[in-house]
Amino acid sequence: MAKPVVHIIGAGLAGLAAAVRLAGEPCEIVLYEAARQAGGRCRSYFDATLGMVIDNGNHLLLSGNRAALDFLATIGGADRLSGPAQADFSFVDLATKERWRVRPNAGPIPWWIFVEGRGPPGANWRDYLALLALLLPGKDRPIGAVMACEGALYERLWRPFLLAALNIEPSEGSSHLAAAIVRETLAKGGGACRPLVAHGLSAAFIEPAIAHLTRIGADIRLDHRLRGFEFSGNRIAGLDFGDARAALGAADKVVLAAPAPVAQDLAPNLQAPQSFRAIVNAHFKIAPPKDVPAILGVVNGTIEWVFSFEDRLSVTISGADRLLDVAREELAATIWAEVAEATQLEKPLPPWQIIKEKRATFAATPEENARRPGARTAYANLALAGDWTATGLPATIEGAIRSGNRAADAIMQMK
Ligand SMILES: Cc1cc2nc3c(=O)[nH]c(=O)nc-3n(C[C@H](O)[C@H](O)[C@H](O)COP(=O)(O)OP(=O)(O)OC[C@H]3O[C@@H](n4cnc5c(N)ncnc54)[C@H](O)[C@@H]3O)c2cc1C
């Protein structure tokens, strides 16, 4: 008897994770991707302006991101991430010129908060207790209604950390999503907070996943944009690709792993987040000085994080909607002036590229968090995946991979 087919729409991390999880189950896997390359919002490409392969955006993982690390171990990409042996984050304040490091100790008892030189200047151990308010039970509220979003520790540690994790001004962000991040990383100690960076997002996450899926016999169809579903009662009966269609058998199933607005167009009556936040990345083709840390946090600037690679310096600015209308040349000049100061590299503007991802993530507010659907849908053979589904985490690699895992598990339970 022919095996049932699971059709997966979207080859971002969520769709890839669903496919990887289904490998070994008694089903055929067909993965469709609208673009000519897999990876979605987590991908590398050859940039003709710089003449080098860059990522669409710098991506930071923490060692507490268990699903992401398990995914990498399964596909054989675990050795493509690098980071320090201990949690260690360098910062600079562009207003005061102060520099410091944040070095949580490895275990869950946070003695580092009592040790001078292991946290930001101007903070004492009592200030750290403010974060505990996030962990108390209660309804999802803006972080600003749960903890004080002010003071040296907030500006120099909690704001940069939460802004990077949530991609929204933290005072507006969801307290539940912030608490989930804190529980899975900081609250477990520095062992779960080691920063990990991929040297090429596609080389780490995407190419090994595609190679793994090809080895296990999955059918991967790039340049295949799903135009619509054909419904029969509460089942998906066919897939419409415009110039081609695929009919589904009675036991066949679908994982929809496309972004929220696409999913809403394809599946009527689907509830999903409605608003999004941008991320701006800038890449400068210049060999960084040897003493520049791999990741440098910047406060009191337009820029927030500087990533140092062998052949370039790359910058991330989260919650960056205010910058979408700023001319690229102006942005490049402003950002470079700050990078030069932060890295003490007094050089004229090198070749640059700016990438504005307008809908980088859903807006991680309590209201939007409440609109995220689970993996199960009203359709008997359709499951949802994507960083915008109800993973309990903000839109991150970890969330996207967990959503794919959950969708695959839901599919295996469907009749
Ligand atoms: C600039 C930037 C920086 C980021 N930084 C970080 C970070 O530091 N750390 C972190 O953990 N996360 C980060 N993220 C978030 C992370 O990239 C995402 O959460 C994750 O990649 C989302 O994966 P996904 O599979 O849910 O969605 P997507 O990557 O959007 O995948 C959806 C896929 O579906 C395809 N598709 C769309 N329509 C169709 C259709 N009709 N038919 C077939 N295919 C379709 C798309 O082409 C796409 O490939 C960042 C994101 C951005 C944009």
Side-chain angles (χ1 to χ4, degrees):
M1 209 171 69
K3 286 185 195 168
V5 181
V6 180
H7 301 267
I8 302 175
I9 315 298
L13 284 172
L16 289 168
V20 167
R21 180 85 150 204
L22 287 167
E25 297 292 346
C27 61
E28 308 274 350
I29 301 165
V30 187
L31 178 58
Y32 306 89
E33 167 56 47
R36 294 212 176 95
Q37 77 175 104
R41 278 171 283 152
C42 178
R43 67 184 188 284
S44 314
Y45 74 99
F46 179 78
D47 187 272
T49 308
L50 297 182
M52 59 170 64
V53 174
I54 58 174
D55 296 331
N56 68 311
N58 304 311
H59 280 59
L60 180 66
L61 263 99
L62 294 178
S63 45
N65 294 154
R66 293 312 321 166
L69 296 181
D70 288 349
F71 173 79
L72 286 174
T74 305
I75 63 173
D79 59 347
R80 313 264 170 104
L81 296 184
S82 65
Q86 270 104 38
D88 191 342
F89 296 85
S90 296
F91 283 90
V92 56
D93 184 332
L94 290 184
T96 65
K97 318 292 178 219
E98 287 166 287
R99 290 177 189 267
W100 64 92
R101 285 160 69 191
V102 174
R103 292 176 299 142
N105 58 287
I109 298 168
W111 53 258
W112 66 280
I113 66 175
F114 301 104
V115 180
E116 188 144 353
R118 293 195 75 120
N124 72 45
W125 66 269
R126 280 182 210 86
D127 301 333
Y128 289 85
L129 302 181
L131 200 70
L132 292 177
L134 272 185
L135 303 178
L136 299 174
K139 78 187 233 294
D140 196 4
R141 290 193 292 158
I143 295 169
V146 176
M147 66 180 267
C149 293
E150 60 188 18
L153 186 63
Y154 177 76
E155 295 298 339
R156 296 181 157 193
L157 182 57
W158 300 144
R159 182 176 180 273
F161 174 72
L162 293 172
L163 178 57
L166 299 173
N167 192 30
I168 193 167
E169 187 56 45
S171 56
E172 296 170 42
S174 146
S175 61
H176 280 186
L177 294 177
I181 293 285
V182 171
R183 257 186 222 110
E184 296 193 10
T185 56
L186 265 175
K188 290 191 171 161
C193 300
R194 285 191 306 112
L196 299 170
V197 176
H199 288 263
L201 287 174
S202 290
F205 287 94
I206 311 304
E207 288 154 17
I210 295 289
H212 175 82
L213 291 170
T214 306
R215 268 196 306 276
I216 56 119
D219 180 353
I220 300 167
R221 302 185 190 175
L222 301 177
D223 206 5
H224 272 65
R225 181 180 297 279
L226 184 71
R227 307 280 169 188
F229 287 128
E230 292 163 12
F231 297 99
S232 170
N234 77 335
R235 295 185 76 83
I236 311 280
L239 306 177
D240 173 9
F241 294 94
D243 51 359
R245 75 176 283 279
L248 267 65
D252 295 349
K253 298 171 184 97
V254 179
V255 174
L256 180 53
V262 178
Q264 275 197 306
D265 278 352
L266 291 167
N269 305 323
L270 188 68
Q271 178 172 271
Q274 298 297 310
S275 61
F276 299 85
R277 289 291 185 273
I279 297 180
V280 168
N281 273 263
H283 304 270
F284 300 99
K285 185 177 183 174
I286 191 163
K290 293 248 171 322
D291 55 351
V292 173
I295 308 162
L296 176 62
V298 181
V299 301
N300 281 319
T302 305
I303 64 174
E304 289 150 9
W305 297 95
V306 182
F307 290 69
S308 174
F309 297 100
E310 218 169 69
D311 50 3
R312 69 181 192 281
L313 285 163
S314 296
V315 171
T316 297
I317 305 169
S318 298
D321 297 73
R322 69 191 183 285
L323 303 177
L324 288 176
D325 295 331
V326 179
R328 289 162 48 76
E329 290 68 21
E330 184 187 335
L331 212 44
T334 307
I335 294 175
W336 176 250
E338 292 189 3
V339 172
E341 190 177 344
T343 60
Q344 294 170 310
L345 186 65
E346 301 303 328
K347 291 268 168 69
L349 178 62
W352 55 270
Q353 183 58 277
I354 303 263
I355 304 174
K356 299 177 179 177
E357 290 264 11
K358 194 172 171 201
R359 288 181 167 182
T361 67
F362 72 90
T365 61
E367 296 73 30
E368 295 295 17
N369 192 29
R371 289 200 184 102
R372 300 167 77 189
R376 292 261 185 180
T377 67
Y379 302 97
N381 60 345
L382 175 67
L384 296 175
D387 62 357
W388 55 276
T389 60
T391 62
L393 293 175
T396 52
I397 290 176
E398 178 72 5
I401 289 174
R402 272 193 217 176
S403 78
N405 292 344
R406 284 185 195 176
D409 294 346
I411 286 283
M412 292 322 296
Q413 286 159 12
M414 286 175 185
K415 299 222 169 67

